[in-house]
Amino acid sequence: MPGEAILLSTPNFQGNEKKYVNEAVETEWVSTAGAFIGRFEERMADRLSVRQACACQSGTAGLHLCLRHFGVSAGDLVLVPTLTFIATVNAVLYQSAEPVFFDCDEHMCICVDQVEEYLERDCRLEGGRTVETASGKTVKAMIPVHVFGDFCDMDRLMDLAERFHLIVIEDATESLGGVFNQGRYAGRPTGTVGHAGVLSFNGNKIITTGGGGMVVSNDEAAVSHIRYLSQQAKDDGMYFVHEEWGYNYRMTNLQAALGLAQLEELDGFLEIKRRNYARYRERLADCGCGELLPFGSGEKGNHWFYSFALREADGERRDRLLQYLNSRQIQARPIWKLNHMQTPFRKYRAMDCGNALQFYDRVVNIPCGTNLTEEQIDRVCEALLNFEVQDRPGI
């Protein structure tokens, strides 16, 4: 029998969540003002050893606020990976800027070799800015994404950013809790290396506020302006004076109460994520049809999502695996459709994205929540181990 459904990634509320949310309700501070917002921001800044943090409505809102603050505007080019959730690219379009899509490396993060080749071959330096030679457009920023909690090569990316005068907005929406383990940023948390970093607290993230995000940076003036923009750019709260146009991107006190309690549990969640991943790896070591992909970040990564990869790139077989797992009440999903292939983005420039296409046809995300039991993990593994037999022609 299939048994009870095993979900992909669900929230884990076993700490002070109810206590803090009840306190927000009882004091009647439930909207975009209240003590929990400031407390959550301060605790996150302390956790990441940054000077400032600004809670906001979502990770997408955080990316948009950063692009706006750093002056990315109509016609500017922003370097992005094709293998990422669409929100990364949507934020670029919110500013009427244009994405340039890049392939991924062996850990599904942006291919630095390809970024370097593009900047050196297809661009020129002109008056303190980088210009794409063919179009004459300014290359203004790049958004590296730590996909599934693994790490981009920030050493090389920051070197390129300095050489070519680029703003780096570090998309750490999937990597909270990860710490760089080598290079000149060893010991630094993800999200703290670029000019600004963005976190997400969506319901499937390692900690959640139901929906929400945060911008973090050591640039206090940047975070101060981003906070101002997130609050409708309000200069005078009494007389409703606005010197700029802004956004309704503030986090609520209820969300922040939930987030503060979740942050208190983060270390425990990280331990569970790593322990469950190790159990999967051990059980699937001899799997004939595929393997659980390793994290290049090792034990310093947060192991947010687990990626099971078929031995060969075969989109039809990937779909059969998804159907097989789901028929056994095991929720699984493919990775995102590549962004350069999405209808809204097909007109924008894309490099050769062969590696990303291979991953798209090979990878399935399997259950990875911190609520998983050993018995559930073993059930997922048994299904994957048996898929090779079940998928033979004629069976």
Side-chain angles (χ1 to χ4, degrees):
M1 295 293 291
E4 184 179 351
I6 303 175
L7 300 179
L8 186 66
S9 181
T10 57
N12 188 332
F13 299 138
Q14 299 182 34
N16 286 315
E17 290 86 0
K18 288 183 179 179
K19 176 184 175 182
Y20 293 168
V21 170
N22 285 341
E23 182 179 333
V25 172
E26 289 166 2
T27 59
E28 300 179 350
W29 289 97
V30 297
S31 190
T32 55
F36 281 110
I37 297 170
R39 288 171 62 185
F40 187 32
E41 291 172 336
E42 290 168 8
R43 296 284 177 83
M44 186 62 76
D46 287 344
R47 170 84 195 202
L48 301 183
S49 299
V50 294
R51 291 181 184 145
Q52 286 284 340
C54 171
C56 54
Q57 195 178 77
S58 64
T60 312
L63 292 167
H64 184 202
L65 289 165
C66 288
L67 290 165
R68 165 76 186 277
H69 166 76
F70 287 110
V72 174
S73 58
D76 287 340
L77 302 181
V78 180
L79 313 186
V80 295
T82 188
L83 200 165
T84 183
F85 183 50
I86 198 170
T88 307
V89 189
N90 281 340
V92 174
L93 273 291
Y94 295 167
Q95 285 301 105
S96 299
E98 299 180 13
V100 180
F101 293 105
F102 290 85
D103 201 6
C104 65
D105 62 16
E106 67 272 25
H107 299 294
M108 291 189 277
C109 294
I110 193 167
C111 178
V112 185
D113 287 342
Q114 200 175 65
V115 172
E116 183 174 27
E117 182 181 8
Y118 164 78
L119 290 170
E120 292 182 340
R121 180 195 64 200
D122 297 347
C123 301
R124 67 179 187 272
L125 290 169
E126 183 180 287
R129 66 189 180 114
T130 295
V131 175
E132 186 183 64
T133 304
S135 67
K137 295 177 179 178
T138 299
V139 184
K140 189 64 122 347
M142 65 170 126
I143 309 178
V145 183
H146 302 302
V147 175
F148 299 147
D150 219 336
F151 299 166
C152 300
D153 186 346
M154 294 304 295
D155 280 45
R156 289 183 62 198
L157 288 172
M158 294 306 291
D159 284 344
L160 289 170
E162 184 175 356
R163 281 176 57 197
F164 291 95
H165 311 291
L166 304 182
I167 294 296
V168 177
I169 300 167
E170 196 177 345
D171 187 333
T173 53
E174 302 174 5
S175 64
L176 177 62
V179 177
F180 292 106
N181 57 345
Q182 58 186 346
R184 68 178 181 273
Y185 301 116
R188 295 263 297 266
T190 59
T192 70
V193 170
H195 295 87
V198 179
L199 312 175
S200 171
F201 311 122
N202 191 35
N204 63 353
K205 296 301 194 294
I206 194 164
I207 71 170
T208 184
T209 58
M214 192 170 287
V215 177
V216 298
S217 180
N218 284 310
D219 185 340
E220 294 183 77
V223 177
S224 178
H225 185 236
I226 284 167
R227 180 177 290 109
Y228 166 78
L229 292 174
S230 77
Q231 299 173 331
Q232 300 283 23
K234 185 165 55 178
D235 292 88
D236 188 314
M238 175 67 74
Y239 293 101
F240 300 99
V241 176
H242 305 265
E243 300 295 337
E244 291 186 65
W245 53 273
Y247 313 93
N248 182 16
Y249 277 172
R250 195 72 170 125
M251 179 179 283
T252 69
N253 201 47
L254 280 174
Q255 291 174 309
L258 193 62
L260 182 64
Q262 287 273 283
L263 186 56
E264 294 172 351
E265 302 296 312
L266 178 56
D267 287 329
F269 292 163
L270 291 168
E271 182 180 346
I272 293 169
K273 284 278 190 181
R274 293 161 182 160
R275 183 175 69 236
N276 288 349
Y277 174 79
R279 187 176 184 88
Y280 269 124
R281 286 280 288 182
E282 181 181 3
R283 289 294 316 276
L284 295 173
D286 298 320
C287 186
C289 66
E291 63 173 338
L292 197 65
L293 293 181
F295 284 91
S297 50
E299 286 304 301
K300 292 291 188 178
N302 73 349
H303 293 63
W304 176 56
F305 254 33
Y306 307 154
S307 299
F308 182 84
L310 293 168
R311 299 292 178 193
E312 304 291 336
D314 184 339
E316 292 183 359
R317 193 168 196 222
R318 175 208 60 201
D319 290 344
R320 291 198 298 274
L321 175 57
L322 286 167
Q323 294 165 5
Y324 173 81
L325 292 172
N326 286 314
S327 72
R328 282 153 180 75
Q329 296 296 300
I330 297 169
Q331 186 181 22
R333 71 170 207 189
I335 61 175
W336 316 282
K337 182 176 179 178
L338 302 180
N339 281 300
H340 77 283
M341 301 170 64
Q342 302 276 11
T343 299
F345 307 141
R346 288 175 188 164
K347 65 181 179 180
Y348 300 113
R349 184 172 183 185
M351 305 299 121
D352 180 357
C353 295
N355 287 340
L357 285 165
Q358 290 278 317
F359 280 120
Y360 179 63
D361 283 339
R362 290 180 62 208
V363 172
V364 167
N365 292 132
I366 59 175
C368 61
T370 53
N371 291 310
L372 281 177
T373 65
E374 291 185 353
E375 291 76 15
Q376 288 175 321
I377 293 171
D378 291 344
R379 202 174 111 203
V380 176
C381 291
E382 286 301 317
L384 290 168
L385 290 165
N386 288 329
F387 176 69
E388 185 75 16
V389 174
Q390 296 291 327
D391 196 51
R392 289 175 184 168
I395 293 181

